[in-house]
Amino acid sequence: MEAVRVQDVSVNDLPWKIQYSSERCTMCGSCVAACTFNAIEAAMERRSVTVSTGHQPEPSQRHMATPVIRQKAAVANACVGCGMCEKVCPNNAIKPMRNLDSRVNYLNRSGGATVKRGGRNSISAGERTFDKIVVGRISQMTDPALDSERHTFDILAPFGRVLLPHELPLSLSGDELKLNAHTPPVNWIYPIIFSDMSIGALSTRAWEAVAIATAYLNEKYKMPVRMCSGEGGMPIKLLKSEHLKYMILQIASGHFGWNRIIQAMPHMQVDPAGILIKIGQGAKPGDGGLLPAGKVSKPVQAIRGVPKADLLSPPNHQGLYSIEESVQKMFMSMNAAFKFRVPVAIKCAASATSVSVYNNLLRDPYKICGGFFIDGILGGTGAANEVSLEHTGHPVVSKTRECYLAAVKQGRQGQIPLWAGGGVGLTGNAAADAFKLICLGANGVFMGKMLIQLCGCVGNEHGRCNACNTGNCPAGICTQNPRLVKRLDIDKAAQNIVDYMLALDSEFKKLMAPVGNSSLPVGRSDALVTTDRAIADKLAIQYVC
């Protein structure tokens, strides 16, 4: 007998094990064809069977070669638990099972490289601050509640610099009110923005599904939802269409795609909804960004104006080394480019310095910053180092509250709209998460991973799939492989997003009604209570038990 080499990898070391029934299997090969990670293969097994065919027991041994489906015992081909094999099997003969005794955390690093993955970090539902906060103030007699079905609600949030009454350049001439100078542009939009996910990180079909849903919500249901393009530019036809008014153009540290955007400016029929300058994101602060060469398809090359290669975004904007410098460059570049008609906002990762950044922006003498976006550690991503996902960043709830209270101390709350994101809708109920953030001081929220789930993503925070970084997305969402992209039904994905947003709108009203607010309850922390003493002390809300 050959000696056992304990360092050899076996199926028992991998995070998922394939449960297979050869009795049910007809060897159609559908599961092998559907597996994008090459985790299973058709193989032959030698089997010995004892049989007796005579009238008297005459046992005999038979040997046969039986075709089977076998899991590969290799980290490079490890099953991710996406379940595509189970979906396509006509006989329910195969499915992935979670292996609680996995050694994959040790084996992944055996090549000397850091572990990368897509998806959120490992903070699960029930451990989030969101889940320990509830709406506890119900208006009843002294200030009656509203009827969520019949009352008219004003669910709009500002995107752009809001001036105080005494700062408005107005004068009275007889009976007329005259505007004597330019005022910063402000767009009033729905308090939920579809977060920045680029063409490249998403497949062209997935990005198109989100864009179609955005346009449909605006045109059909008059719900002014806005979508951020993500870093990497946009299709020329969209830049030249009337639907550009629903898009927020993002400029990140890589500046990908902005040559085409600048070239399209003279041909734009309408202005974009805004400009978002991304300084950092919650999922991988300090890492910058990476689009692997495998995802740089021909459409992505055309939009970004790059060859097929790994596209690296620096961890910070070159030249933006101070808050004052950033504000000045926004004033000189993006606002001037659109002749001061388009609000410009900044997006940063939530961190210990968030309040300092927000305070400096509030003191902006140009009155030009149109929003402050903070992204928490629970934010989803397409590809990041696992150590960054798990150990770098800051929960967005406390930073949102601190920024709001800092503005209140100066009497400047609401001047620069505060938008928060990172884990909004992690449990599937984005309306509740958004409402709580708004009560804590945010003017609105942005969400991205939720949209991917509505498109059909099977990844989750418990380690299922989360292979966005590989370019082998089994749902055809985070891949540029034409064979895989075809799996995504654009119309169905867009319809799912529209249906969810309609439900979210109703749920949002059902949360506003008992509080007695017909407009967004920004900063109404008195409406919230928590069952956690530490959260009550940190967020200055009521503790209940």
Side-chain angles (χ1 to χ4, degrees):
M1 179 179 176
E2 187 179 357
V4 175
R5 295 183 178 88
V6 294
Q7 290 81 15
D8 289 348
V9 176
S10 72
V11 172
N12 290 324
D13 295 322
L14 303 179
W16 295 83
K17 296 173 69 174
I18 298 296
Q19 182 175 316
Y20 171 71
S21 173
S22 58
E23 292 78 14
R24 289 174 173 268
C25 181
T26 58
M27 294 301 293
C28 64
S30 298
C31 56
V32 177
C35 182
T36 62
F37 302 97
N38 197 23
I40 53 178
E41 61 182 349
M44 300 296 292
E45 281 188 1
R46 179 179 182 272
R47 295 186 178 180
S48 298
V49 182
T50 302
V51 295
S52 177
T53 57
H55 296 289
Q56 301 294 330
E58 296 177 359
S60 61
Q61 198 82 359
R62 290 186 181 178
H63 303 284
M64 63 185 74
T66 304
V68 294
I69 302 299
R70 184 171 61 194
Q71 181 178 1
K72 293 184 178 180
V75 175
N77 303 111
C79 172
V80 298
C82 67
M84 289 298 160
C85 56
E86 184 180 5
K87 283 188 176 183
V88 300
C89 181
N91 303 308
N92 196 26
I94 189 171
K95 63 179 178 181
M97 298 291 290
R98 193 183 299 274
N99 179 19
L100 300 179
D101 299 320
S102 165
R103 289 200 307 134
V104 74
N105 281 339
Y106 304 97
L107 299 175
N108 276 340
R109 295 168 174 82
S110 59
T114 58
V115 181
K116 293 183 175 66
R117 75 160 193 261
R120 290 189 174 95
N121 66 9
S122 62
I123 298 178
S124 59
E127 299 176 6
R128 308 181 310 156
T129 304
F130 283 122
D131 303 319
K132 298 174 183 177
I133 299 175
V134 293
V135 180
R137 186 186 186 282
I138 312 300
S139 303
Q140 295 178 83
M141 296 188 70
T142 55
D143 46 352
L146 305 175
D147 189 327
S148 65
E149 299 295 334
R150 297 176 180 86
H151 192 81
T152 300
F153 293 87
D154 178 21
I155 308 180
L156 292 175
F159 185 68
R161 183 62 180 255
V162 178
L163 297 181
L164 293 174
H166 69 272
E167 295 176 331
L168 293 170
L170 299 173
S171 63
L172 193 62
S173 176
D175 295 332
E176 293 184 2
L177 197 63
K178 288 190 175 181
L179 184 65
N180 302 319
H182 175 80
T183 57
V186 180
N187 292 329
W188 290 87
I189 62 178
Y190 200 77
I192 290 181
I193 290 175
F194 293 164
S195 190
D196 35 314
M197 296 178 290
S198 68
I199 302 178
L202 299 186
S203 67
T204 51
R205 290 169 73 94
W207 198 93
E208 184 180 350
V210 180
I212 289 173
T214 303
Y216 196 80
L217 287 166
N218 280 273
E219 300 286 342
K220 175 70 174 178
Y221 294 102
K222 308 303 178 186
M223 188 184 295
V225 176
R226 298 295 179 261
M227 170 186 174
C228 185
S229 66
E231 181 180 20
M234 290 169 52
I236 287 290
K237 287 187 177 180
L238 182 53
L239 289 170
K240 296 179 180 179
S241 76
E242 293 185 357
H243 294 106
L244 180 63
K245 61 188 175 184
Y246 306 137
M247 299 291 168
I248 297 171
L249 304 180
Q250 183 182 87
I251 178 169
S253 57
H255 296 79
F256 293 117
W258 268 86
N259 285 340
R260 288 165 63 95
I261 291 175
I262 291 170
Q263 292 169 6
M265 280 183 184
H267 309 287
M268 290 180 179
Q269 300 182 41
V270 293
D271 291 327
I275 306 296
L276 181 61
I277 299 178
K278 189 189 81 172
I279 305 296
Q281 64 189 75
K284 45 186 175 182
D287 273 355
L290 167 65
L291 187 66
K295 284 190 173 185
V296 186
S297 61
K298 288 186 177 180
V300 175
Q301 293 175 44
I303 292 173
R304 298 197 178 198
V306 294
K308 189 174 182 65
D310 288 343
L311 303 182
L312 296 163
S313 297
N316 65 316
H317 278 261
Q318 305 303 305
L320 301 189
Y321 295 110
S322 71
I323 299 167
E324 293 77 16
E325 214 173 15
S326 301
V327 171
Q328 185 181 18
K329 289 200 174 184
M330 282 192 296
F331 174 79
M332 294 172 62
S333 56
M334 298 319 305
N335 280 284
F338 287 97
K339 302 188 186 306
F340 302 92
R341 298 188 305 263
V342 176
V344 178
I346 283 181
K347 179 181 180 182
C348 294
S351 74
T353 61
S354 296
V355 177
S356 300
V357 175
Y358 191 50
N359 280 334
N360 278 274
L361 293 175
L362 285 168
R363 299 187 185 100
D364 165 28
Y366 302 109
K367 303 288 189 294
I368 208 69
C369 182
F372 185 54
F373 286 58
I374 47 177
D375 192 12
I377 191 175
L378 283 173
T381 182
N385 287 297
E386 193 170 88
V387 69
S388 299
L389 287 171
E390 301 287 353
H391 304 287
T392 310
H394 200 295
V396 74
V397 175
S398 59
K399 288 294 108 180
T400 301
R401 185 65 174 155
E402 287 179 14
C403 286
Y404 176 75
L405 292 179
V408 169
K409 286 182 180 179
Q410 303 175 54
R412 295 174 178 268
Q413 68 271 25
Q415 289 189 47
I416 295 182
L418 190 60
W419 291 77
V424 173
L426 176 64
T427 59
N429 195 336
D433 292 347
F435 185 83
K436 293 169 188 177
L437 275 172
I438 289 172
C439 285
L440 291 171
N443 292 94
V445 303
F446 51 93
M447 63 180 191
K449 183 69 174 181
M450 168 66 73
L451 305 175
I452 304 308
Q453 295 285 349
L454 294 170
C455 287
C457 172
V458 298
N460 62 24
E461 67 280 4
H462 301 296
R464 186 185 185 198
C465 197
N466 292 343
C468 321
N469 59 303
T470 64
N472 294 321
C473 173
I477 299 170
C478 295
T479 177
Q480 302 298 331
N481 186 325
R483 183 177 68 87
L484 301 178
V485 170
K486 288 181 181 178
R487 296 181 180 182
L488 179 67
D489 186 332
I490 296 179
D491 295 332
K492 181 62 177 174
Q495 187 64 57
N496 287 346
I497 295 172
V498 170
D499 289 345
Y500 186 90
M501 288 302 297
L502 295 177
L504 182 148
D505 188 61
S506 296
E507 290 174 342
F508 210 88
K509 293 173 182 176
K510 291 183 183 299
L511 290 169
M512 293 173 64
V515 174
N517 264 57
S518 58
S519 59
L520 290 182
V522 179
R524 279 209 57 185
S525 57
D526 63 307
L528 304 177
V529 299
T530 177
T531 56
D532 188 290
R533 173 67 73 179
I535 292 175
D537 294 340
K538 179 64 177 177
L539 303 181
I541 59 178
Q542 186 179 353
Y543 170 67
V544 295
C545 59

